[in-house]
Amino acid sequence: MPEVFREFALLLMISAAAGMLFLALRQPLLIAYIVVGIVVGPAMLGLVRAQDQIDLLAQVGVSVLLFVVGLKLDLHHVRHLGPVALATGLGQLAFTIVIGFLLALAMDKGVLEALYIAIALTFSSTIIIVKLLSDKREIDSLHGRIAVGFLIVQDLAVVLAMMAMSALRGGDGAAVGEVVWSLAWRLTAVGLAVYLLMRHVLPRLVERMARSQELLLIFAVAWGTGLAALGEWAGFSKEAGAFLAGFSLASTVYRDAINARLAGIRDFLLLFFFIDLGSKLDLSTLGDEIVPALVLSLFVLVGNPLIVMAIMGSMGYRKRTGFLAGLTVAQISEFSIVFVAMGISLGHIGRDVLGLTTLVGLVTIALSTYMILYSHSLYDRLAPWLGIFERRRPFREPGGARPASLAAVEVIVVGLGRYGGRLALGLKESGLAVLGVDFDPEVAQRMRHGGLAVRYGDGTSADFLETLPLDGAAWLVSTLPGFDSNRELLDALRTRRFAGELAIVARDEAQGIALKELGVPNVLYPMRNAVDFAVETITDIIRNREKSR
């Protein structure tokens, strides 16, 4: 036991040092932790041997992450996006399997080997994608919600695939049907049980737990890991069970409090997931698979997003939404490696397929991380060539009618999230003519119902800005969360020669300094301004009470 503790301490120190180095180099921390896993794992230095303990923490971290994702959804989003996620997920799986199978056959792989490779290429890493989208604060965006939906579909599909291939061990076709029937009734039973709990048990139970913040936190972790274990027992993966646990509490008034309490625990435990992933990569099996791996990596990085874009475009989504959602499938999952390893244990394939899959995983996870982090800049460069992926009338993302009072607009607010939406409504209540702009159709519709004039569209696009009444607007305020998005907006406004006043919201002091260096004349600090207002208010109250004594 003392050795295990020392190993954990060493691992945490190495991770902190690697994270600090990658942060200084402006590289994703996720990549740093995977590199740490490779370096300290058996493939290289072999410094850490407490694999069972690390794996357990990794599994709990994954359960907490998916629990938080489910916590942020509500029934309205499920009704609206469920069919889209199902169609996109199944469509992407089908096309990727067919094309991947043909590519593998062209590389002189056997039929069964080609089938394993093709199936492995279809699965994207839910954990990595959700972590990246959460870090970018895009998990609640339209493309983020769609992506999470079809990633959950993929998680269910990988379990079905593993069960089906396991059933082929004895060559008994009837076994596959028995597996599917068993999974179907278990899914039905769990779904019905969770529904009844949501309606009749959980609201009262959570209300009692919420009397103590500590108890609420313990209950949230217990509920998430408990349903994750139940999901594994039912045969549809721990990830799906944890997601369902979070979703079952999404309609309670305590979901924001639970989410806030779990954030630090989630990030700490996920460190072990990425280290565990890196340590399990077997670099010794790469062999002569470099060229085939590069070809398959190119297919995953380019082909998978194109498939998703084509499906979403045909379903009536705009090219931007399809592009941003499509990038989330531009890598293979850790389950892909597990799936291929299972095939080796069953005697279906050789270890060369594992080496090929491992190399594809390394390449696609690393490159897709950067693609997602810089997705908006990437879209701006490629947008002129993506028109074929958008219908003439993308009916699922209507732009909305132009407000009658468009010419009389005094203030344009770009980004109608919590802060931007409240700001726009507050300015409107003050008697100003305000026009809101947001790229999420649900947000735009909700704000429009609240009485605000809203234009749906990409506020960073120069072409879209041409449609706005910039000449008559005295102010434009951007509350977009990303620095890159605000920089693109600034460039577009300069191209348009906007003559009014510009203000941009900064998330922190560092971002504010960077915006000032770009030439932004007015930088708003919501947190600092709120604190200053609170200090002034409390001071006035205290002084007034002292005078009244």
Side-chain angles (χ1 to χ4, degrees), residues 22 26-33 132 369-370 373:
F22 272 62
R26 297 181 181 274
Q27 303 302 310
L29 291 179
L30 181 153
I31 301 295
Y33 300 147
L132 290 171
T369 297
Y370 292 98
L373 288 176

Side-chain angles (χ1 to χ4, degrees), residues 340-504:
V340 171
M342 182 198 71
I344 295 174
S345 66
L346 294 175
H348 291 166
I349 54 177
R351 292 188 64 82
D352 58 322
V353 179
L354 180 61
L356 175 61
T357 308
T358 299
L359 189 52
V360 172
L362 285 173
V363 173
T364 56
I365 288 174
L367 293 182
S368 66
T369 297
Y370 292 98
M371 291 167 64
I372 294 171
L373 288 176
Y374 300 102
S375 58
H376 296 283
S377 299
L378 195 59
Y379 172 78
D380 290 335
R381 293 175 181 269
L382 300 177
W385 293 278
L386 300 179
I388 58 173
F389 297 105
E390 181 176 299
R391 287 187 172 190
R392 289 185 178 181
R393 294 182 178 179
F395 59 91
R396 289 188 183 270
E397 296 186 67
R402 188 182 297 257
S405 59
L406 203 58
V409 168
E410 297 174 86
V411 183
I412 298 174
V413 179
V414 180
L416 299 175
R418 289 185 179 179
Y419 181 81
R422 185 68 191 94
L423 175 65
L425 291 174
L427 293 172
K428 179 179 178 294
E429 290 170 1
S430 298
L432 296 173
V434 181
L435 173 66
V437 176
D438 202 279
F439 196 75
D440 190 324
E442 293 183 10
V443 171
Q445 186 177 13
R446 184 174 68 248
M447 297 301 292
R448 194 177 290 122
H449 288 165
L452 184 70
V454 179
R455 287 293 305 281
Y456 166 83
D458 181 6
T460 65
S461 168
D463 292 335
F464 176 74
L465 289 178
E466 289 289 341
T467 69
L468 299 179
L470 294 177
D471 293 334
W475 279 83
L476 187 143
V477 182
S478 169
T479 67
L480 298 174
F483 176 76
D484 290 337
S485 297
N486 283 310
R487 182 172 55 190
E488 293 162 13
L489 172 62
L490 183 61
D491 292 339
L493 289 173
R494 285 172 176 167
T495 301
R496 179 64 174 72
R497 300 192 179 187
F498 175 60
E501 291 288 338
L502 173 65
I504 296 181

Side-chain angles (χ1 to χ4, degrees), residues 214-434:
E214 291 79 7
L215 184 58
L216 184 64
L217 174 64
I218 295 299
F219 168 74
V221 176
W223 183 242
T225 54
L227 256 67
L230 180 62
E232 188 175 35
W233 170 83
F236 59 93
S237 86
K238 291 187 292 291
E239 289 76 16
F243 176 84
L244 193 62
F247 175 72
S248 67
L249 300 180
S251 58
T252 67
V253 296
Y254 304 103
R255 69 173 189 172
D256 291 332
I258 295 173
N259 181 42
R261 300 278 291 184
L262 286 175
I265 296 175
R266 175 199 64 194
D267 292 340
F268 175 73
L269 292 174
L270 280 179
L271 162 69
F272 295 100
F273 167 78
F274 294 118
I275 292 174
D276 187 53
L277 174 62
S279 66
K280 289 181 178 178
L281 295 177
D282 189 358
L283 305 182
S284 65
T285 60
L286 299 184
D288 299 324
E289 302 292 341
I290 293 178
V291 174
L294 292 178
V295 173
L296 293 177
S297 296
L298 185 63
F299 168 62
V300 173
L301 289 166
V302 179
N304 275 356
L306 291 178
I307 292 170
V308 170
M309 289 180 64
I311 295 173
M312 291 185 63
S314 66
M315 296 183 70
Y317 284 93
R318 294 183 182 272
K319 59 184 181 181
R320 186 176 188 271
T321 304
F323 179 82
L324 296 177
L327 290 183
T328 63
V329 295
Q331 86 288 121
I332 67 171
S333 168
E334 64 283 355
F335 290 122
S336 301
I337 299 172
V338 173
F339 176 72
V340 171
M342 182 198 71
I344 295 174
S345 66
L346 294 175
H348 291 166
I349 54 177
R351 292 188 64 82
D352 58 322
V353 179
L354 180 61
L356 175 61
T357 308
T358 299
L359 189 52
V360 172
L362 285 173
V363 173
T364 56
I365 288 174
L367 293 182
S368 66
T369 297
Y370 292 98
M371 291 167 64
I372 294 171
L373 288 176
Y374 300 102
S375 58
H376 296 283
S377 299
L378 195 59
Y379 172 78
D380 290 335
R381 293 175 181 269
L382 300 177
W385 293 278
L386 300 179
I388 58 173
F389 297 105
E390 181 176 299
R391 287 187 172 190
R392 289 185 178 181
R393 294 182 178 179
F395 59 91
R396 289 188 183 270
E397 296 186 67
R402 188 182 297 257
S405 59
L406 203 58
V409 168
E410 297 174 86
V411 183
I412 298 174
V413 179
V414 180
L416 299 175
R418 289 185 179 179
Y419 181 81
R422 185 68 191 94
L423 175 65
L425 291 174
L427 293 172
K428 179 179 178 294
E429 290 170 1
S430 298
L432 296 173
V434 181

